[in-house]
Amino acid sequence: MSGRDEQFGKRINTVYLLVLGLTVGWFLLGWPIIAGDTDLWYHLSAGRYIFQHHAIPSTSFFSFLEPPRTYVDYYWLFQALVYGAYRLIGEHAFLLIRAFFMLSSYGVIIALLFRAGKKSHPPLVLAFFAGLYLALLMQRGTAVRPHLVTYLMIPLFLWILECKPRRTAWLIPLGVLWMNAHGIVYPILVGILSAYALEAGVSLLRGKTKIRDTRFMLPVLATLGTVFATPHGLKLLAVPWESTALESRYIDELKPVTFQMFGEWKITDLVPSTETLNALLLGLLFLAAAQALFQRPRRLSHLILFSMGAVLVPRGIRFLTEFALLSLPLLARSPLLQLLGYGTSQWKRFGRGLAILIGCLLGFVLTFILSLTLYPVSRYPVARHRLPEGVTAFLQEVGPGGNLINHPDSGGYYQWRLWPRYKIFMDMQVPFFFNHEDLYTAANCFSNADILKAMLARYPSAFVAVPMAFLENFKQVRQQIPELKLVFFDEQEALFANEPLQPGIVRAWQLSALDPHRMLKNIEKLDEFLGTADPAPAMRESLKVLTVDPGGLLPNALVSHVYLKEGAFDRALPFADNIIRSYPNIVRGYLMRGQALIGLRAFAEAEAALKAAVDRVGKPSETAASYLNLGWAQLGLGKYKQAYGTLSQAVDVYAAGTPFEDIYALGIAARRIGHEDEARTYLEFARVKQPKDTQALAAAQRRLRLISVTIE
């Protein structure tokens, strides 16, 4: 390979890595914090406790359980970091912390692959593996949790030991930071250091190295002592060995790895699934390990690290990342990379075109995968999704304090927002904080009246917060515990007050016309939810809920829907806008806004709102409604060709349930662009369906007059 061609390949490689890094950086800073779980918030709660009390929590200070549960707060430094940053700049701190750790990990992985690898390795192939690692990291890297520290420290330790052996003294302060930020992973630190120490010792015994050449190992051995450089001393040693067998049946990230997880390779529109990428990376790692057994000289440390990572994997799917990171040195030196790459003869044959092709394919596939997630989801910087914001607001503004029985999934958020006025049941710090019995009680108390009765008897609680998924079963529980009255709800949970303890709250806030579970199930068919009953009681209760939680999806959708049905379009509009502010990622708010604006004859604004709805469609029912209303807005604007194309996608003229006026509008659009044969057909179909009932016909006429169409 000529020097010129080699430099050309390196430039392509640099551009690829830079584009990938910038894409990820943009994503990490632009993508809001989404609660896959509420762990971030219990870390914030503990960080606040540390700042307020100048002490590290060791008991369940936020829980009403007796006796208090005790634990080793092995991530206290991370909690202090997150809360301290939050105090300085607010919720945007979470985005900066996430971006710093993920981009730093990416940078160190690149450095390790390129500095520890062989000079003959093709740079584009190394870049491909860097991209695979980044795709793996991104699967858990969007959550701000202590594992971000570990995902940086593993490659950083390996980079120092592989590429900067004279700088091993850096490992000591890094070890102190690591053990105090995520101390439960101390076996990984010990394993990394022991692997290199053992390799150096074997080399020394065999006479392959001299004593002076192993002096870099002194700081390595000293770094082993950082395991004890925490406030917990010897107590930390037992933490990682706590069994998680029972919890693995409930907590997804602790579920065991199975071959089926990697058996389905899927590529959709040239974009491989994350499972496909994981299977590809892990398969190549095992192939590299097999090659390493026959490679000369063998690196004992690399084989130990790979084996250690492989031992971790059966403990849960979350450890796939640690396994891959520990395998980095083995991969960097593997002849596999040379086999996957291009040799000198191939380079001469295909020249720069091969490098361009590889670079474009890798850049397209990996950056396209990441670009799929650049779409804004919910509010920024912290999404409302999966957080019981409305229930929390009610408890803060209306509730007097006391005990709150909750599901552990939302426990982190509740303790962050409500402590010390309220004490909750538990969060998801299982099994290292709460025990198996606590988790069993939490998983069953919303569907078993006896368990909940026993809990209320032992811990008198003012409120019970029930996740939406449990509400159907909770109806039977309430039949046996009738003193629990529904007083509030949001999209995630419904709040029940204990009437003997909170008679005033029940008297002022009891909800009888609204069923949150049915509302959520029928969010797209609110007519079915309301039925033929007078909507006034449901409207009153929805408006009352909105006085506390203006961004609530369900009450805003119901109120806007009723006003749209009544033709009060100006009154429907602000409630649709409330939905957009809270959930800019979903169709409902934009669709209702577009319908209200059509009613107000603001067709240009309606078209913009409905185009936003079309961009967000997911379910077939959402697609049809969004396109249908967009077509009506375009008819109102006189964009007949566009209206015809849009309505053709939305209006099924042969469906029994298609309204007369929608078929009629499609016929008018066809006529306006000169499709006379189709227009006659559609208008004839419409006349067959023309309502005979005077009121129904008048309603259809009013709707058509909005877009300046009269029935002929």
Side-chain angles (χ1 to χ4, degrees):
M1 184 190 310
S2 70
R4 183 181 176 185
D5 286 339
E6 185 177 356
Q7 289 300 318
F8 182 74
K10 288 182 177 179
R11 282 197 293 271
I12 294 177
N13 170 68
T14 301
V15 170
Y16 168 71
L17 290 172
L18 184 61
V19 169
L20 187 57
L22 290 174
T23 302
V24 172
W26 178 261
F27 160 70
L28 291 170
L29 291 174
W31 187 259
I33 300 296
I34 301 174
D37 52 49
T38 61
D39 290 10
L40 168 61
W41 285 270
Y42 71 62
H43 289 306
L44 282 166
S45 175
R48 177 177 59 194
Y49 182 96
I50 292 169
F51 270 71
Q52 290 178 351
H53 295 83
H54 306 289
I56 297 171
S58 59
T59 63
S60 52
F61 63 90
F62 53 85
S63 172
F64 56 68
L65 291 178
E66 294 291 343
R69 307 307 190 243
T70 60
Y71 80 127
V72 174
D73 188 1
Y74 56 82
Y75 27 44
W76 71 271
L77 185 59
F78 177 81
Q79 294 169 335
L81 166 68
V82 172
Y83 180 70
Y86 169 79
R87 284 185 57 177
L88 286 175
I89 60 174
E91 292 176 337
H92 287 83
F94 309 147
L95 306 177
L96 295 176
I97 290 171
R98 180 177 67 183
F100 168 77
F101 280 106
M102 287 297 295
L103 291 176
S104 297
S105 299
Y106 174 58
V108 176
I109 288 171
I110 291 173
L112 182 58
L113 285 173
F114 282 83
R115 293 293 300 276
K118 292 183 176 181
K119 298 296 184 184
S120 59
H121 285 337
L124 286 175
V125 177
L126 289 171
F128 171 65
F129 274 95
L132 285 179
Y133 269 90
L134 185 56
L136 179 65
L137 289 175
M138 290 297 293
Q139 294 169 40
R140 296 191 72 233
T142 56
V144 181
R145 291 171 54 184
H147 64 254
L148 292 178
V149 180
T150 292
Y151 291 172
L152 172 59
M153 288 299 178
I154 291 176
L156 188 55
F157 265 55
L158 295 174
W159 176 73
I160 292 172
L161 290 163
E162 288 282 334
C163 307
K164 298 287 182 180
R166 295 184 179 181
R167 299 289 184 267
T168 50
W170 295 352
L171 297 175
I172 298 174
L174 289 173
V176 172
L177 293 174
W178 189 4
M179 292 300 96
N180 284 279
H182 200 203
I184 193 173
V185 299
Y186 80 80
I188 294 179
L189 176 143
V190 171
I192 292 172
L193 299 175
S194 299
Y196 285 92
L198 182 60
E199 182 180 60
V202 170
S203 180
L204 184 63
L205 289 174
R206 291 182 175 180
K208 294 183 178 180
T209 58
K210 298 180 180 180
I211 293 180
R212 66 171 178 269
D213 296 327
T214 60
R215 284 181 291 183
F216 77 94
M217 294 307 300
L218 293 177
V220 172
L221 297 174
T223 306
L224 289 169
T226 60
V227 173
F228 305 100
T230 74
H232 311 301
L234 296 175
K235 293 180 181 178
L236 180 63
L237 298 182
V239 174
W241 314 112
E242 184 82 30
S243 173
T244 58
L246 292 177
E247 287 71 21
S248 66
R249 302 179 184 182
Y250 184 81
I251 301 173
D252 287 341
E253 66 182 30
L254 294 179
K255 289 181 178 178
V257 176
T258 62
F259 287 109
Q260 287 77 13
M261 293 178 180
F262 308 107
E264 295 184 7
W265 289 50
K266 182 186 294 185
I267 299 178
T268 305
D269 297 330
L270 299 179
V271 180
S273 65
T274 54
E275 292 80 9
T276 301
L277 291 176
N278 290 348
L280 177 61
L281 176 59
L282 295 177
L284 292 172
L285 288 177
F286 275 99
L287 185 57
Q291 285 187 323
L293 292 173
F294 303 99
Q295 189 177 358
R296 295 290 187 275
R298 292 195 190 97
R299 287 294 303 271
L300 178 61
S301 60
H302 297 179
L303 293 172
I304 291 174
L305 291 171
F306 177 87
S307 302
M308 183 172 68
V311 169
L312 284 174
V313 172
R315 289 180 62 89
I317 193 169
R318 61 167 292 177
F319 292 105
L320 286 174
T321 308
E322 284 82 349
F323 167 53
L325 292 173
L326 289 168
S327 303
L328 273 166
L330 182 144
L331 178 65
R333 293 188 71 253
S334 175
L336 173 68
L337 300 186
Q338 185 67 23
L339 294 174
L340 291 173
Y342 42 89
T344 302
S345 60
Q346 288 90 341
W347 177 267
K348 288 180 178 178
R349 182 179 302 175
F350 299 111
R352 296 181 179 181
L354 180 62
I356 293 173
L357 177 62
I358 294 173
C360 290
L361 286 176
L362 297 182
F364 171 75
V365 171
L366 293 175
T367 55
F368 189 64
I369 291 169
L370 295 169
S371 72
L372 295 176
T373 58
L374 290 175
Y375 202 78
V377 172
S378 201
R379 292 172 323 191
Y380 185 86
V382 176
R384 181 177 170 122
H385 175 68
R386 293 190 66 180
L387 296 177
E389 282 197 0
V391 169
T392 303
F394 178 87
L395 290 169
Q396 286 178 317
E397 297 179 24
V398 180
N403 291 342
L404 169 67
I405 295 176
N406 69 288
H407 191 276
D409 279 350
S410 54
Y413 188 73
Y414 280 135
Q415 65 171 282
W416 164 241
R417 292 283 302 273
L418 300 176
W419 184 82
R421 286 183 59 215
Y422 292 85
K423 285 198 171 186
I424 67 168
F425 174 20
M426 66 177 292
D427 59 24
M428 279 303 296
Q429 295 183 82
V430 182
F432 309 109
F433 201 148
F434 296 97
N435 58 41
H436 309 304
E437 291 76 14
D438 296 332
L439 184 59
Y440 178 82
T441 300
N444 288 275
C445 68
F446 303 116
S447 55
N448 188 303
D450 293 332
I451 293 176
L452 185 56
K453 280 181 181 179
M455 196 170 183
L456 287 167
R458 184 174 181 186
Y459 305 107
S461 299
F463 298 97
V464 179
V466 183
M468 284 288 182
F470 291 88
L471 275 182
E472 196 65 29
N473 290 332
F474 196 68
K475 291 178 181 178
Q476 284 72 45
V477 173
R478 286 184 64 200
Q479 290 176 2
Q480 299 183 51
I481 314 177
E483 60 268 27
L484 295 179
K485 307 294 186 182
L486 177 67
V487 294
F488 207 82
F489 65 91
D490 55 26
E491 303 80 72
Q492 308 305 320
E493 302 197 350
L495 184 68
F496 295 84
N498 191 340
E499 188 171 22
L501 298 181
Q502 298 296 331
I505 295 288
V506 171
R507 191 163 48 250
W509 286 91
Q510 183 176 0
L511 303 175
S512 55
L514 296 177
D515 181 339
H517 184 255
R518 282 189 59 232
M519 287 178 72
L520 189 62
K521 285 181 64 177
N522 293 283
I523 185 69
E524 298 170 31
K525 301 175 182 177
L526 287 171
D527 279 331
E528 292 184 14
F529 170 75
L530 291 168
T532 58
D534 180 7
M539 283 283 284
R540 283 195 298 271
E541 291 186 358
S542 294
L543 290 168
K544 182 164 65 172
V545 169
L546 290 172
T547 61
V548 175
D549 182 25
L553 170 63
L554 301 179
N556 272 305
L558 187 141
V559 172
S560 185
H561 174 80
V562 171
Y563 282 143
L564 287 171
K565 294 288 287 185
E566 294 175 350
F569 303 113
D570 56 334
R571 301 182 74 178
L573 189 59
F575 297 97
D577 289 341
N578 287 343
I579 298 174
I580 293 172
R581 278 190 289 271
S582 291
Y583 290 96
N585 63 306
I586 69 173
V587 172
R588 182 59 40 193
Y590 296 98
L591 178 57
M592 288 183 153
R593 175 177 172 79
Q595 291 171 325
L597 290 168
I598 289 173
L600 295 171
R601 301 178 63 82
F603 296 117
E605 293 178 70
E607 183 186 35
L610 291 162
K611 282 183 176 179
V614 166
D615 288 340
R616 290 159 172 79
V617 294
K619 302 176 183 177
S621 57
E622 293 177 339
T623 303
S626 300
Y627 276 100
L628 178 64
N629 284 277
L630 177 59
W632 278 71
Q634 290 167 339
L635 268 177
L637 286 170
K639 297 180 178 180
Y640 302 118
K641 186 174 182 179
Q642 292 171 264
Y644 175 74
T646 305
L647 289 171
S648 295
Q649 297 182 63
V651 179
D652 183 354
V653 296
Y654 297 102
T658 303
F660 148 77
E661 60 267 32
D662 290 335
I663 302 175
Y664 198 90
L666 176 60
I668 293 298
R671 174 178 289 175
R672 296 287 168 83
I673 61 172
H675 292 187
E676 290 296 335
D677 291 341
E678 291 180 50
R680 280 194 296 271
T681 300
Y682 293 146
L683 292 173
E684 184 58 35
F685 285 173
R687 290 189 183 96
V688 172
K689 278 195 169 184
Q690 186 168 322
K692 304 298 186 290
D693 178 75
T694 305
Q695 289 185 339
L697 180 60
Q701 288 175 325
R702 283 196 300 272
R703 189 175 173 211
L704 288 166
R705 279 198 294 269
L706 290 173
I707 54 173
S708 302
V709 172
T710 56
I711 300 174
E712 299 173 0

